[in-house]
Amino acid sequence: MSAPPFSYSRFGRSRPAVIVALVAAASLVTAFTAPWARASAPASGGVAVAPAHGLPYENAKLPVAKRVADLVGRMTLAEKVGQMTQTERAQVYDDPTPITTWNLGSILSGGGSTPTENTPVAWADMVDRFQKAALATRLHIPLIYGIDAVHGDGNMYGATVFPHNIGLGATRDPALVEQIGHITASETRASGPQWSFSPCICSPQDDRWGRTYEGFGEDPNLVIQMETAIDGLQGPPGHLADRDRVLATAKHFAGDGDTTYGTSTGDYKIDQGVSVTNRPDFWAKALKQYVPAVQKHDVGTVMPSYSSVDWTEDGVGNPIKMHGNKELLTNVLKGSMNFDGFVISDYEGIHQLPGDWPNQVRTGVNAGIDMMMEPNVYQSFETTLTDEVNAGRVTMSRIDDAVSRILTKKFELGLFEHPYTDRTNLPAIGSPAHRAVARKAVAESQVLLKNSKQVLPIKTRGRVYVAGSNADSIGNQAGGWTLTWQGGSTTNIPGTTILSGIRSAAGHSAVAYSPDASAPIQKDDVGVVVVGETPYSEGYGDVGGPSWPWDPADNGIPRPVKDMQLSVADKAAVDTVCATAAKCVVVVVSGRPLILDPKQLSEIDGLVAAWLPGSEGAGVADTLFGKVPFGGKLPVTWPRTLAQEPINIGDANYDPLFRYGFGLTTR
């Protein structure tokens, strides 16, 4: 999409100028304005709740707008502020009565926040227990439950865990991405939650960022193609109430993938940093992908970024936090782009705003945030926002707008008619059919970077020698956001490792396995060395950032440093296998490109980027042995050295090791 035909000096001025400019820009691209045929409203499952009073808002036959207006007109300020508040599961797990007392509108589970027994049934029971408390309020307003289902419902044991978005970007298959979104939605809603904080539609510009793998790729045009994920989650218009759909979230608005290395605070290096940019570049790299997310895919919620923007037009040195950026959240997102859903803050996002707590609360709300994710101080948020309204520093019209947006989505989700979990699809969670789709996604995501001597696909009647730290680690191949926030090398979920996939795919060939390549290697062996990163999430994956030691399985030992390099042990395994075996294939399991030593690269016959495949490692073996041809294309540029970062297609003097879009094919 070309840059919008407006004067960028008007970007920060009056709302009408922005509306005209961005709408005009969007109209240039027919893909953004394709009409949708509105489907008939589906019948929703679950336990129906009879209207308590027979009031207009309880009448499912009335238009949603009328129901919302009627309900808002009956609400007290305390009830409205409660709807704007989301807290964490842990705050109400043992005693859900605060849900009723504080009129809470929403609950979330952060990464690793699960019921005591982490099963689909236990999830559904927990959500329904919370819902019962919400329905005990005066107006019986149901709550909405949100989770980070960013590559399947990875927080729930037994769910299908798909490749992270960077791998899905490599597939160049929007239809498959939509199918994955649908399966994710089905498994999520069957177990209780009705809302996913996904997809991330950033376009990562610097691979040193710890969230690079959450983006579909560095080119916003590729991201736009993959926004079919929203359709998979939400379904066609009018289908949010279906038992296999959830509310989606486009995040992180905007510029989270365009921050400058070294601008973050604390121990982070680039995550939550500052995008130092001008308005044309910000539009091209960070903002334009939100137009189709809103106008074509009708995404229900948007989450602001922790990051800031520092416009170079008025001089560098005055960054504005996205959680307090009224120009972008209200004028552009809700105004120009005509976003009619609601804005949900990130985890304690307003706590990073300048000033004291009352200033942070009113700045966030007045900037355009409709619901606050407050895992720890939700009560203080409610009392403080109430005080700000009573003092006239936050208007009732702003409160009513926020609450109306939230209630609209609750009505569209069918929660007033069917607040409890429809468990019809519980048996399909982690089913063979769902895992088959995940396996297909893994195979399509594999990018073949080198294939000397036509080593791939592997054809041998001899022995396959497998080595490397990531060959038999389902935790490493699943990555972050798997059972816990950071994931873990010892994480164990149902599925197949790459090694088990190789053993199955090798047929009559014997398979030897030695993680460190210490077992004898025969000169006729075909070596497969599976190397790469250990799991991380957010700023703990920043190159040069802090090391995570706090997962229970880590026993207080910090994880390996994140430096975009192969570990010493992995390098040694590559050298050992490639020096002795007849042929040598290296498979890199990682959330981003890793820097490869030129000498080692010359020793390697085959090189494969496997990304973070998730639970179905057998999909990697499918391509290695030719069951599925290689066809994946790089969604990001692969640098020669770390000093080249950030490096992206279109840069001056572009000289990567492997260019964006590169990928060899096999038959």
Side-chain angles (χ1 to χ4, degrees), residues 55-58 65-76 79-80 83 138-142 403 407 411 416:
L55 297 172
Y57 76 87
E58 296 173 312
K66 288 188 176 182
R67 299 179 73 183
V68 169
D70 178 72
L71 179 52
V72 171
R74 299 174 187 277
M75 295 172 71
T76 65
E79 289 166 335
K80 293 175 181 179
Q83 285 302 300
R138 180 179 72 94
L139 295 170
H140 315 295
I141 303 175
V403 174
L407 292 177
F411 280 117
F416 282 81

Side-chain angles (χ1 to χ4, degrees), residues 463-467 499 503 509-514 519-520 522 525 528:
R463 193 174 72 155
V464 178
Y465 185 98
V466 182
L499 174 64
R503 283 175 168 155
S509 298
V511 176
Y513 171 57
S514 177
Q522 300 173 11
D525 286 348
V528 179

Side-chain angles (χ1 to χ4, degrees), residues 234-266:
Q234 296 188 161
H239 281 260
L240 265 180
D242 288 7
R243 65 170 64 100
D244 56 349
R245 302 294 183 177
V246 295
L247 196 65
T249 308
K251 65 181 190 184
H252 303 87
F253 185 88
D256 54 332
D258 190 35
T259 54
T260 301
Y261 190 86
T263 60
S264 191
T265 57

Side-chain angles (χ1 to χ4, degrees), residues 277-299:
T277 185
N278 57 55
R279 284 170 168 80
D281 286 346
F282 191 74
W283 167 266
K285 295 177 182 178
L287 200 54
K288 73 175 186 179
Q289 55 264 47
Y290 283 89
V291 174
V294 169
Q295 297 183 0
K296 178 181 178 182
H297 303 286
D298 195 27
V299 69

Side-chain angles (χ1 to χ4, degrees), residues 249-487:
T249 308
K251 65 181 190 184
H252 303 87
F253 185 88
D256 54 332
D258 190 35
T259 54
T260 301
Y261 190 86
T263 60
S264 191
T265 57
D267 293 333
Y268 291 0
K269 298 299 181 182
I270 185 169
D271 188 42
Q272 304 186 20
V274 181
S275 179
V276 182
T277 185
N278 57 55
R279 284 170 168 80
D281 286 346
F282 191 74
W283 167 266
K285 295 177 182 178
L287 200 54
K288 73 175 186 179
Q289 55 264 47
Y290 283 89
V291 174
V294 169
Q295 297 183 0
K296 178 181 178 182
H297 303 286
D298 195 27
V299 69
T301 65
V302 168
M303 181 182 291
S305 173
Y306 284 121
S307 64
S308 307
V309 63
D310 192 347
W311 302 121
T312 56
E313 290 94 334
D314 58 6
V316 174
N318 51 348
I320 306 167
K321 278 282 184 184
M322 283 297 157
H323 276 74
N325 197 321
K326 185 174 183 179
E327 174 193 3
L328 292 178
L329 290 176
T330 295
N331 296 355
V332 173
L333 177 64
K334 293 180 175 180
S336 311
M337 295 184 187
N338 200 28
F339 173 62
D340 61 3
F342 69 90
V343 175
I344 169 70
S345 82
D346 209 333
Y347 199 95
E348 293 188 334
I350 62 170
H351 294 237
Q352 297 185 9
L353 294 175
D356 59 15
W357 178 233
N359 186 72
Q360 292 169 335
V361 169
R362 69 172 172 267
T363 299
V365 173
N366 286 335
I369 300 175
D370 302 303
M371 181 184 286
M372 292 296 178
M373 190 184 293
E374 288 297 331
N376 299 306
V377 294
Y378 69 93
Q379 295 172 346
S380 177
F381 169 75
E382 289 200 20
T383 57
T384 302
L385 179 55
T386 300
D387 290 344
E388 292 299 301
V389 174
N390 288 333
R393 290 184 288 266
V394 176
T395 65
M396 278 303 303
S397 62
R398 172 77 271 269
I399 298 296
D400 287 348
D401 173 61
V403 174
S404 296
R405 289 169 177 271
I406 294 164
L407 292 177
T408 295
K409 294 307 171 186
K410 289 187 176 184
F411 280 117
E412 291 176 353
L413 282 161
L415 295 178
F416 282 81
E417 288 69 52
H418 302 280
Y420 294 110
T421 304
D422 185 329
R423 307 184 185 209
T424 304
N425 293 329
L426 270 176
I429 293 175
S431 67
H434 289 184
R435 294 189 182 280
V437 175
R439 182 171 178 171
K440 180 183 183 211
V442 174
E444 286 193 22
S445 72
Q446 303 301 288
V447 180
L448 181 57
L449 299 173
K450 184 177 180 181
N451 197 22
S452 297
K453 307 176 188 176
Q454 299 299 301
V455 63
L456 293 170
I458 296 171
K459 297 176 182 177
T460 179
R461 297 180 180 274
R463 193 174 72 155
V464 178
Y465 185 98
V466 182
S469 62
N470 285 349
D472 197 31
S473 175
I474 202 164
N476 283 359
Q477 73 187 40
W481 298 106
T482 307
L483 294 190
T484 63
W485 176 37
Q486 295 290 321

